[in-house]
Amino acid sequence: MSQEEAQPSKMRSKPVRQTPQQRIEVVTRNDLPGITEWLLPTNICQTRICGKTLASNACTIIAALCCRSFLKRELEIPLDAELGNAINKFKQLIMTGNMLYGGLRIPCNQPNLEVCDVLKKIVDLKLRMVKDLGFFYAEDIYETLCQLLQCEGRQAGVLIFPPDKSVALLADNEEVAVFDNHEHGQNGGIITVCRSKNIDDFFYYLQTNGH
């Protein structure tokens, strides 16, 4: 059971857009006031994109595409007014990632690709891996998050949760976000945003949710 399910009194959830086929919810938590989560409908995730059920291990490719799009200023860390554009772009990136993954003809039972494998196999991404970090302690992640927020301009990386779940970690000087394209119970992907001044809340969120 997730922490949200175990402690419903500590969160507020309300639909921000709803049609018979689509429901998007924004979640805020009283215990983590600096965090906003947008829970996407099930048709916006790598295994059910556009209503099709797929066997997909494309999450590292999709995360790398999100990083590339963010660095090129095609994908933005959303505020409420920009949410629709961010979701539409995220959906396109998920579809593109699945198509690229399918073109590699990788066996379905093969573990998820590493970032270095993605960059070697899909050279058109034109991305360069600056650092390959392994986090053995939670404090290491916190230190890296603080460093990202202190850097000039936009920073992006692929964060891999063991054993094989990749998400995009995006940061500028004011905000940090996670774009997670996996299915989550009755929801699809998740977009999580935090203001830089609330980085402690974001660190705790990563520790307790683990995507």
Side-chain angles (χ1 to χ4, degrees):
M1 179 179 290
S2 68
Q3 185 170 1
E4 288 87 348
E5 292 170 331
Q7 301 180 15
S9 62
K10 291 189 176 182
M11 61 185 290
R12 291 175 286 116
S13 176
K14 61 180 180 179
V16 295
R17 189 175 307 157
Q18 184 174 359
T19 70
Q21 296 81 27
Q22 181 173 337
R23 179 183 176 91
I24 299 171
E25 293 183 351
V26 58
V27 175
T28 56
R29 291 170 44 172
N30 293 334
D31 60 331
L32 296 176
I35 297 291
T36 299
E37 277 186 309
W38 284 285
L39 309 180
L40 307 183
T42 53
N43 66 319
I44 304 180
C45 68
Q46 70 183 51
T47 52
R48 293 180 179 270
I49 191 70
C50 297
K52 294 182 179 180
T53 301
L54 304 169
S56 173
N57 286 327
C59 59
T60 304
I61 296 177
I62 295 167
L65 287 172
C66 289
C67 292
R68 178 178 182 269
S69 186
F70 177 69
L71 294 173
K72 293 180 67 177
R73 299 185 179 275
E74 298 170 349
L75 176 67
E76 300 292 339
I77 296 176
L79 302 174
D80 286 337
E82 303 161 344
L83 182 60
N85 291 335
I87 290 175
N88 287 335
K89 185 62 179 179
F90 190 29
K91 185 175 180 179
Q92 293 173 11
L93 295 172
I94 294 172
M95 289 190 289
T96 301
N98 274 347
M99 287 190 293
L100 290 172
Y101 181 81
L104 297 177
R105 301 187 182 280
I106 297 173
C108 293
N109 60 351
Q110 178 172 322
N112 195 17
L113 295 171
E114 297 288 338
V115 177
C116 58
D117 296 326
V118 172
L119 300 185
K120 289 177 182 177
K121 292 177 181 293
I122 309 176
V123 294
D124 288 344
L125 287 178
K126 296 181 179 178
L127 287 174
R128 179 172 59 91
M129 187 163 59
V130 179
K131 292 182 181 180
D132 186 3
L133 302 175
F135 299 117
F136 296 97
Y137 302 99
E139 291 77 10
D140 296 335
I141 301 177
Y142 182 78
E143 182 178 345
T144 299
L145 287 173
C146 292
Q147 290 174 354
L148 285 175
L149 291 170
Q150 292 171 3
C151 293
E152 289 292 331
R154 298 187 172 202
Q155 306 293 321
V158 177
L159 185 59
I160 301 178
F161 292 93
D164 57 0
K165 197 171 185 180
S166 300
V167 301
L169 178 65
L170 314 177
D172 57 24
N173 296 119
E174 296 184 355
E175 289 130 356
V176 60
V178 166
F179 280 69
D180 179 353
N181 63 83
H182 299 85
E183 186 175 4
H184 298 81
Q186 298 300 311
N187 299 102
I190 296 177
I191 300 174
T192 307
V193 176
C194 176
R195 300 286 291 182
S196 59
K197 64 181 181 181
N198 301 114
I199 192 62
D200 289 346
D201 287 350
F202 190 74
F203 174 62
Y204 182 78
Y205 172 84
L206 290 179
Q207 281 187 298
T208 55
N209 286 267
H211 284 264

